[in-house]
Amino acid sequence: MTDVRPLDPEATQPLPAAAPTPALPRTYWQDEISEPKALARQTLEALRTYRAAEVAMRRRTREAMSMAEYEMLALRFLLRRADRTARPAELAHYLGITTADTNALADKLQRDGRVERVAGFAINRSASIRATETADAEVRDTLNGMHLRMYAAAMKLTPSQHRHITGFLAAMTDAIDSVDPR
């Protein structure tokens, strides 16, 4: 019998209980692998390492700007919009929080000078929330060096590499987005 690990997606039978399992490096994927599998796992491990670095960077950025996670997420959401403005209900939906929590969040960001409320243009429309120029400049100043390094890394890629990487990331996004909550 070949030494097939239980986590191998191509495995048909698990190892017998009495068979000793050789020590493997501590990685997420723990089976004997062919070269194509090894390359796929190396790519997935690089993606996991990148994600961990990104999470740590976001934490450092929040700390540098003295912001809580939802404050930073709200500000990023607003700054990505063409007019840097959203209705409270849109922001609540994006953040997955109640409108009451969104109003409290907007109050805090407004006190800090990072957002302003803009009167609704129609009757019965709530005031919108807009990121201020100050917030935009603060985020740019905080992240500018990192963005320049990221852009420089992307500029080193060939057109073929760009196509492969963007295709891979789109496929990974689809794989992650298709997970059903249980």
Side-chain angles (χ1 to χ4, degrees):
M1 177 178 205
T2 61
D3 189 24
V4 179
R5 304 281 185 259
L7 292 179
D8 185 343
E10 296 173 7
T12 57
Q13 298 176 8
L15 286 173
T21 303
L24 294 173
R26 300 254 333 139
T27 62
Y28 185 77
W29 300 277
Q30 298 281 336
D31 61 351
E32 294 285 328
I33 54 175
S34 61
E35 184 177 357
K37 279 185 169 182
L39 292 172
R41 290 182 182 184
Q42 182 181 5
T43 301
L44 293 173
E45 193 63 40
L47 185 59
R48 290 179 70 215
T49 301
Y50 169 79
R51 282 290 300 138
E54 184 180 33
V55 167
M57 174 275 303
R58 292 191 188 288
R59 180 190 43 77
R60 290 189 309 271
T61 301
R62 287 191 313 271
E63 289 171 359
M65 295 178 68
S66 300
M67 295 177 75
E69 183 174 3
Y70 279 120
E71 293 171 31
M72 181 60 85
L73 290 171
L75 200 53
R76 286 181 60 227
F77 177 77
L78 294 170
L79 290 172
R80 286 183 179 153
R81 297 176 72 105
D83 61 357
R84 299 190 329 252
T85 303
R87 292 189 327 270
E90 292 172 304
L91 191 54
H93 178 73
Y94 173 76
L95 296 173
I97 61 177
T98 67
T99 52
D101 288 339
T102 303
N103 284 325
L105 178 65
D107 289 344
K108 167 81 168 67
L109 289 170
Q110 188 172 19
R111 280 192 306 274
D112 293 345
R114 293 183 170 127
V115 302
E116 60 190 359
R117 285 195 165 87
V118 181
F121 297 108
I123 297 174
N124 297 328
R125 293 290 299 248
S126 61
S128 292
I129 301 166
R130 178 184 302 147
T132 63
E133 292 290 334
T134 303
D136 190 23
E138 182 182 17
V139 170
R140 287 180 189 280
D141 288 346
T142 303
L143 300 177
N144 189 48
M146 179 199 58
H147 286 162
L148 290 173
R149 290 187 301 274
M150 290 171 66
Y151 194 75
M155 289 298 293
K156 292 178 183 178
L157 299 173
T158 66
S160 177
Q161 290 170 323
H162 282 286
R163 286 189 296 276
H164 288 293
I165 290 169
T166 55
F168 168 73
L169 292 174
M172 292 302 293
T173 301
D174 290 344
I176 290 170
D177 281 345
S178 67
V179 174
D180 293 326
R182 292 184 189 208

